[in-house]
Amino acid sequence: MSMRSKILAAAAASALALTLGTAASALTTFTLGTGNAALAGFPPPYGTVNVTLNDATHALISFTSATPTYYFLGAQAVDVNVNAASWTFGSVTENSAGTLSNGGSNQVDGFGVFNQTTDLTDGFGDRASSISFILTNTSGTWASDALVLTANASGNTVGAHIGACDAGCTQFLSTGFATNGNLGVIPEPATWAMMIMGFGGIGAMLRRRRSLALAIV
């Protein structure tokens, strides 16, 4: 291998290591940006879903509604498709007057089957704008937060039952379901920054190599 090839390989490996190291501890975020027909008159996004890997077997899943007029409610209130053969669901926190329970595997409107759904006790007063819970992997480990969830057979990873309120939130104008659809994952800014730094380092090494070669000639 030539000296130039060695420099390129070392720089690429360094950039990849920096990127992977950041991704392993970064926050993965999904956008609930695709609604069904019932939400057609209400613009997305409807909320965000954050996935934080606390350790190799415990992940915090946090749902937050996008505006003061969007809420999570009722059956299949917030839903994810877990990338594990088995897991437990617990440590629930939510800011509604109702109670969130484990809904198991279930169909979420037209967005396919999610293997982990939740049910919030029904009623206008039971609406929530923030819901979080802990998933514990009992069949293996997760190498990063990006690997905690996976797309279901319909290509959706997260979903939610959305209620759209009037301006004063005295009533629901419509209720429907939303998912991340083809919006997928929002790249973590820190991950992008490390990738740019890594490729910048490769460019600097190449420029230095060319300068040395010209000086010799």
Side-chain angles (χ1 to χ4, degrees):
M1 181 183 290
S2 67
M3 181 60 70
R4 181 179 179 181
S5 297
K6 288 180 180 179
I7 291 173
L8 283 172
S14 176
L16 181 60
L18 287 171
T19 301
L20 291 177
T22 302
S25 59
L27 179 74
T28 295
T29 302
F30 296 88
T31 297
L32 293 166
T34 301
N36 66 356
L39 295 174
F42 303 91
Y46 306 101
T48 56
V49 186
N50 292 333
V51 182
T52 307
L53 192 63
N54 295 335
D55 57 49
T57 57
H58 296 86
L60 173 66
I61 312 296
S62 301
F63 282 74
T64 305
S65 62
T67 74
T69 57
Y70 291 148
Y71 287 88
F72 307 117
L73 74 157
Q76 292 86 58
V78 295
D79 318 293
V80 295
N81 205 60
V82 185
N83 183 26
S86 62
W87 63 91
T88 59
F89 166 94
S91 301
V92 174
T93 60
E94 43 92 7
N95 64 352
S96 79
T99 301
L100 189 77
S101 60
N102 187 347
S105 179
N106 223 316
Q107 172 75 31
V108 177
D109 194 66
F111 297 124
V113 174
F114 288 76
N115 59 20
Q116 179 61 71
T117 68
T118 67
D119 297 325
L120 189 60
T121 47
D122 203 11
F124 180 80
D126 294 341
R127 66 190 188 276
S129 60
S130 176
I131 296 175
S132 65
F133 51 86
I134 296 286
L135 295 175
T136 302
N137 192 338
T138 57
S139 59
T141 58
W142 291 305
S144 73
D145 47 59
L147 297 176
V148 173
L149 305 179
T150 188
N152 65 12
S154 298
N156 303 305
T157 307
V158 297
H161 191 173
I162 303 293
C165 283
D166 57 15
C169 209
T170 59
Q171 62 179 337
F172 283 131
L173 301 177
S174 184
T175 62
F177 289 86
T179 184
N180 62 300
N182 59 10
L183 295 178
V185 182
I186 299 174
E188 170 62 22
T191 300
W192 281 114
M194 294 302 285
M195 288 179 68
I196 292 169
M197 287 174 62
F199 290 122
I202 293 173
M205 283 186 167
L206 285 174
R207 287 192 296 273
R208 184 178 178 186
R209 178 66 176 168
R210 288 195 195 100
S211 297
L212 289 172
L214 290 172
I216 293 171
V217 171

